[in-house]
């Protein structure tokens, strides 16, 4: 049921939570704002309040995810260590998604902040294209730039362990995988 007027406080946060739990894809702040008749900035504040209440909401470049509803229990997960130049990021991501792998995040070790992690959540070439375009439009550096070595980690997942192994083998062949 779509409300006709602005939804207030707690009722709005409950509607946001329900929407995210039921969604099988990322939901943008703009979509949630349209649903509740408030600005995207209000949605960002609401999301932060929900996170403060330990709701497992993840912000991705494609929108918000309620992580317990999106994680397929049957998926195999692994952390891999990679090294390449920023210009090779798209190639790396294509190798992974072309093997049926979801790239969940990227992690680097920062000399001051320690472990820095950012959600990526790409599982096909269109999502990779969107991610790369967003980085370019924002003129944002890749996290791998935070470490002079270019070494970074990815949390990856796939329905079958063979997909992870095949993707790792392809990354190794491309010279991206550090073992």
């Amino acid at each position: 049921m779509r409300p006709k007027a602005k939804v207030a406080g707690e009722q709005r946060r409950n509607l946001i939570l329900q929407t995210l739990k039921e969604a099988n894809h990322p939901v943008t702040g703009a979509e949630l704002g349209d649903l509740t008749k408030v600005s995207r900035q209000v949605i960002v504040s609401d999301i932060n309040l929900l996170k403060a209440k330990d709701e497992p909401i993840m912000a991705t470049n494609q929108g918000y995810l309620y992580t317990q509803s999106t994680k397929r229990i049957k998926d195999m997960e692994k952390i891999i260590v990679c090294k390449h130049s920023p210009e090779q990021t798209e190639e790396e991501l294509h190798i992974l998604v072309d093997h049926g792998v979801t790239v969940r995040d990227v992690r680097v070790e920062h000399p001051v902040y320690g472990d820095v992690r950012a959600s990526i959540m790409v599982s096909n070439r269109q999502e990779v294209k969107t991610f790369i375009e967003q980085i370019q439009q924002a003129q944002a550096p890749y996290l791998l730039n935070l470490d002079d070595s270019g070494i970074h980690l990815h949390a990856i997942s796939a329905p079958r362990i063979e997909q992870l192994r095949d993707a790792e083998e392809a990354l190794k062949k491309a010279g991206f995988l550090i073992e």
Side-chain angles (χ1 to χ4, degrees), residues 70-122:
T70 59
K71 183 179 183 294
R72 288 180 272 170
I73 294 169
K74 65 181 181 190
D75 277 5
M76 307 298 296
E77 294 187 357
K78 187 164 190 176
I79 305 293
I80 58 172
V81 182
C82 297
K83 179 179 179 178
H84 58 76
S85 70
E87 296 78 24
Q88 295 171 306
T89 299
E90 187 171 19
E91 181 183 355
E92 173 202 44
L93 295 175
H94 281 168
I95 289 170
L96 291 163
V97 301
D98 287 351
H99 284 87
V101 170
T102 296
V103 182
R104 302 180 73 74
D105 66 23
V106 60
R107 306 166 188 193
V108 296
E109 187 172 325
H110 188 274
V112 175
Y113 299 117
D115 290 336
V116 178
R117 180 187 305 192
S119 172
I120 297 179
M121 295 303 289
V122 295

